[in-house]
Amino acid sequence: MSNSKGWIFAAGVLALALSLYLWFSGSKQAGIFVGLWVPSLWILADLVEKTEVMSE
């Protein structure tokens, strides 16, 4: 796993944790909004990895 991909994937995990916290603390709309970041960040991590492999 490349370093860039690892940081972006970790940001996705952090966004997932934040989303769950917001959801269960009563801010359901904010939890859904932050939850939408997770797949976007993981797709970005995959694109970064593919770009780094192609540039080698």
Side-chain angles (χ1 to χ4, degrees):
M1 180 184 318
S2 68
N3 194 24
S4 300
K5 180 184 178 186
W7 283 107
I8 298 170
F9 184 79
V13 172
L14 183 63
L16 178 62
L18 178 60
S19 174
L20 290 171
Y21 170 76
L22 288 169
W23 177 268
F24 288 112
S25 69
S27 300
K28 293 191 184 287
Q29 285 186 332
I32 292 170
F33 177 72
V34 174
L36 291 174
W37 299 351
V38 178
S40 301
L41 287 168
W42 288 348
I43 290 170
L44 178 63
D46 189 49
L47 288 172
V48 165
E49 180 187 37
K50 288 179 181 180
T51 304
E52 288 177 350
V53 168
M54 290 179 65
S55 66
E56 289 178 356

